Structure formats: C-alpha cells, structure tokens
C-alpha cells in the first residue's frame, strides 16, 4: 500500500486580505459587546465583557502587525 500524502502548497498571497477581514470582524464584535453592556445590570458581566474586549483589541493590534509583516 502506497501513501501519496503531499503537503499543501504554502499560499500566502491573500493573508493580508484575510487579516483585514479578521480585524473588521473583531471590531464589529467589540461594538456588539459594548452595546450589550447597556442591557446588563450585572457588574460581573460588565467586567467579563470589558476584559474580553481588551483581549480583542490586543488581537487587532497583532493582526495589524502581521499585515505589516506580510506587505
């Protein structure tokens, strides 16, 4: 029995475009989360949303750095 497993070619031609899309999606998630904070009375829930949005902002910064590496 022969195996013809070959790795997929490394195509990075659209990485910057994909990263830009990820930035947009993450920014939209931040906006939606901030809107949802208006409807919660729980301080604990607010803190969780704020912490998650902070991580999202850090991700956006990382995505931007990757875009600069790609271009």
């Amino acid at each position: 029995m022969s195996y013809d497993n070959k790795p997929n070619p490394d195509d990075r031609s659209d990485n910057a475009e994909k990263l830009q899309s990820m930035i947009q999606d993450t920014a939209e998630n931040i906006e939606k989360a901030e809107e949802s904070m208006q409807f919660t009375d729980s301080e604990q829930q607010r803190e969780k949303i704020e912490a998650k949005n902070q991580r999202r902002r850090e991700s956006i910064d990382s995505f931007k750095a990757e875009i600069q590496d790609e271009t």
Side-chain angles (χ1 to χ4, degrees), residues 10-24:
D10 190 13
D11 180 13
R12 297 177 183 218
S13 61
D14 62 347
N15 275 7
E17 189 177 304
K18 288 179 183 176
L19 288 165
Q20 190 60 45
S21 175
M22 292 166 63
I23 288 172
Q24 183 64 35

Side-chain angles (χ1 to χ4, degrees), residues 10 12 18-19 27 31 35 47 53 55 57 59 66:
D10 190 13
R12 297 177 183 218
K18 288 179 183 176
L19 288 165
E31 289 177 25
E35 289 173 8
E47 289 173 5
N53 278 351
R55 291 191 301 273
R57 288 183 188 94
S59 294
E66 282 188 58

Side-chain angles (χ1 to χ4, degrees), residues 6-59:
K6 296 179 185 175
N8 291 331
D10 190 13
D11 180 13
R12 297 177 183 218
S13 61
D14 62 347
N15 275 7
E17 189 177 304
K18 288 179 183 176
L19 288 165
Q20 190 60 45
S21 175
M22 292 166 63
I23 288 172
Q24 183 64 35
D25 292 343
T26 305
E28 288 174 9
N29 287 340
I30 290 171
E31 289 177 25
K32 289 177 185 175
E34 287 177 350
E35 289 173 8
S36 74
M37 280 198 303
Q38 298 174 26
F39 303 107
T40 184
D41 292 333
S42 169
E43 187 60 35
Q44 184 179 13
Q45 188 67 24
R46 274 198 179 101
E47 289 173 5
K48 286 182 179 181
I49 291 170
E50 288 173 2
K52 189 163 191 170
N53 278 351
Q54 181 59 38
R55 291 191 301 273
R56 287 175 172 148
R57 288 183 188 94
E58 291 168 3
S59 294

